[in-house]
Amino acid sequence: MKLTIKVDPDLCIGAASCVTIDPATFLLNEENKVYVLDHGEAPGGQVYERVIEMTEDEKETLILSAQSCPTLAIFIYDEAGEQIYPDM
Amino acid sequence: MAKQFVIIGGGIAGTTAADQIRKIDADASITIIDEEFHPLYSRILLVHYLEEKVPRERVFMKKLEWYTKNNIELMSGVIAKAIDTKNKFVTTSDDRELPYDELLITTGGELRMIEDDRRGIAYFRSMDDADYILKLVNELRAQPKKDWHGLIYGGGFIAIEFIKIFDHYNIPMTIMMRGDGFWSRVLSDHSKKVLADHAKAGGVTIINGVKEFDFIGEGDFEGVVVDGKEIKGQMLGVGIGMQSKAAFVREAGIEMDQGIVANSFLETSTDNVYTAGDIAQYEDVSAGRSMVAGNWMKAVMQGRVVAQTMTGTRTEFELVSSYSTHLMGKEIVFIGDTDRSAADKVVQHVAEAGDSVELFERDGRTVGALFIGSVKERQAITNAIKKSEIYAR
Ligand SMILES: Cc1cc2nc3c(=O)[nH]c(=O)nc-3n(C[C@H](O)[C@H](O)[C@H](O)COP(=O)(O)OP(=O)(O)OC[C@H]3O[C@@H](n4cnc5c(N)ncnc54)[C@H](O)[C@@H]3O)c2cc1C
Ligand code: SF4
């Protein structure tokens, strides 16, 4: 499935829980904000939003990492553009 | 019969554990006892709410429906008063006796308080505290602008949160510190200077070495008297640290030191009793010693790991955790074990005018680091700590 992953840099405080849980998708930049990776790679540079092809297992890890974010700075949307996290 | 899991403390550690236990065991009975009257929220977002960056409802991480949907009983506004570890039940403030098979204690830290409790003195730990701070800030802002003045007592994380709030509303402020700078027992002189210079440039007045002070008047807060000098102000934010008393845990015979003592599997000295989050004093594998650490990331990860152990898959906790904040835009990051008294050596790795990086070393390895300003080497240093290496300077 294709998921859109977005980080709000204004909310991200560099707590890095997301990086710990899902290092293939998140990495900290020099401003102490995370940017989004595609399976460990950053084609096109450090961006805060990416569409990524993911397996069900990878999606699970991604959601766990988003859930661990203390500022709810990570947003995940499905192919139809529906927000799947934060869902509350 | 379905296993009974009881969790005391519905913060991020307890709630994460409940969520994980439910994922592992669909039939388990799971109860969370929590003193506060709210479902899970992010303490870290509270300041964003006060800075008007997010609306109040965005601070909540779970709605009440989440608990129902996952069949997790949330006892809000209820305090766990006693634990009978022999007959395995918890007594609550509403006089219920909850039997457990497995008990998790995630009660977090408790605030250190000053003796006086007059109106206008604020602490900052909970949603209710945040609402109260907002009320006081609004009252302050209703005064003529020339009189606005916010006071802060303390020099750690919570004091910094108060600086953010006053700064956001352009309220002139004075911070009274007990020591000789921010985190006086953790930071090097250089780090302290970088922070103090930055705060002063931002218009903050700093008074060091304030071990005690008096209040002006007898009624609501009007200001303080330090060394015979009056400092008027409309509110006082107090952030003088946390402690882990949890008297009811000690009384139950569960071993406590600076927190609830646990091994690296988060098992306490008592059978079927576990701990996680800020209250835990756990055997830290990467630091190689028993320690307490109050940060969100560690609370989340311990909640996940302890759920594994409690459901029968004994799992060791291993993480190099970190805490990030900022002082008026200057990044501050603590990684791993930054207890100065427990380090063999602390190296001032970077000492620039606006930047400071310190490396904490023990037994020939890097165990912790702190950054003020530039965080360029954060990932590389974290990796070295994880691999039990010495960071190549
Ligand atoms: C204002 C503020 C800002 C912060 N900023 C950051 C930050 O930027 N980065 C970071 O990493 N960390 C930050 N922290 C720390 C972080 O919030 C904590 O590390 C984290 O919340 C710990 O989670 P916990 O579940 O262990 O404990 P807590 O979140 O403290 O939850 C414990 C719960 O247990 C309840 N409880 C206690 N005793 C009892 C009892 N006897 N019976 C029933 N319930 C009880 C309490 O009411 C509370 O709800 C901040 C904390 C505060 C207060
Ligand atoms: S967990 Fe959230 S705040 Fe922390 S680095 Fe990731 S996105 Fe940023």
Side-chain angles (χ1 to χ4, degrees), chain B residues 225-288:
Chain B
V225 185
V226 183
D227 285 335
K229 203 178 136 229
E230 281 197 358
I231 307 171
K232 291 214 166 92
Q234 291 79 23
M235 65 181 282
L236 172 69
V238 180
I240 50 173
M242 306 288 281
Q243 55 191 1
S244 304
K245 282 211 296 245
F248 74 104
V249 176
R250 198 183 294 267
E251 278 156 24
I254 298 165
E255 190 187 346
M256 284 198 71
D257 180 16
Q258 286 160 54
I260 301 175
V261 177
N263 59 18
S264 58
F265 294 89
L266 305 172
E267 297 158 329
T268 69
S269 62
T270 305
D271 286 347
N272 307 101
V273 181
Y274 309 80
T275 186
D278 284 11
I279 188 75
Q281 178 180 336
Y282 62 103
E283 194 55 43
D284 188 296
V285 178
S286 60

Side-chain angles (χ1 to χ4, degrees), chain A residues 7-8 11-19 26 28 32-34 65-66 68-74, chain B residues 296 324 378:
Chain A
V7 173
D8 181 342
L11 282 176
C12 174
I13 55 161
S17 331
C18 60
V19 183
F26 300 106
L28 283 168
N32 212 28
K33 311 273 180 198
V34 294
S65 78
S68 77
C69 173
T71 61
L72 297 171
I74 301 171
Chain B
W296 183 269
S324 307
R378 176 175 177 169

Side-chain angles (χ1 to χ4, degrees), chain B residues 317-383:
Chain B
F317 173 75
E318 196 172 354
L319 172 76
V320 177
S321 70
S322 64
Y323 190 121
S324 307
T325 185
H326 70 88
L327 173 72
M328 304 170 122
K330 186 160 291 285
E331 298 291 340
I332 303 171
V333 181
F334 291 74
I335 294 177
D337 186 357
T338 51
D339 185 338
R340 238 185 162 77
S341 59
D344 292 340
K345 190 161 117 192
V346 182
V347 179
Q348 184 75 53
H349 176 55
V350 174
E352 306 287 329
D355 292 317
S356 182
V357 179
E358 297 182 53
L359 301 172
F360 293 70
E361 297 175 358
R362 189 169 54 244
D363 301 331
R365 34 195 283 235
T366 306
V367 291
L370 70 85
F371 302 81
I372 292 166
S374 170
V375 293
K376 263 189 288 201
E377 288 172 281
R378 176 175 177 169
Q379 198 61 52
I381 295 175
T382 305
N383 291 344

Side-chain angles (χ1 to χ4, degrees), chain A residues 1-7 17-27 34-39 48 50-69 73-78 84-86, chain B residues 23 304:
Chain A
M1 83 201 76
K2 270 197 168 61
L3 297 174
T4 303
I5 302 159
K6 211 166 108 179
V7 173
S17 331
C18 60
V19 183
T20 305
I21 299 178
D22 191 356
T25 311
F26 300 106
L27 193 64
V34 294
Y35 58 98
V36 185
L37 301 175
D38 185 344
H39 296 90
Y48 292 121
R50 242 181 234 288
V51 182
I52 302 175
E53 182 68 44
M54 283 202 162
T55 64
E56 198 55 51
D57 277 357
E58 288 169 344
K59 176 182 163 190
E60 184 105 332
T61 308
L62 170 69
I63 303 241
L64 275 178
S65 78
Q67 280 171 343
S68 77
C69 173
I74 301 171
F75 297 81
I76 308 167
Y77 306 88
D78 66 13
I84 45 182
Y85 191 82
Chain B
K23 285 201 176 106
R304 287 184 62 189

Side-chain angles (χ1 to χ4, degrees), chain A residues 13, chain B residues 8-13 33-36 43-44 78-80 106-108 124-125 158 161 248 277-278 294-296 299 322-324:
Chain A
I13 55 161
Chain B
I8 307 176
I12 187 65
I33 308 168
D34 191 71
E35 191 175 343
E36 293 190 35
R43 295 188 199 278
I44 297 176
V78 177
I79 300 170
T106 49
T107 48
F124 196 8
R125 169 154 197 262
I158 296 299
E161 300 292 291
F248 74 104
D278 284 11
N295 68 69
W296 183 269
S322 64
Y323 190 121
S324 307

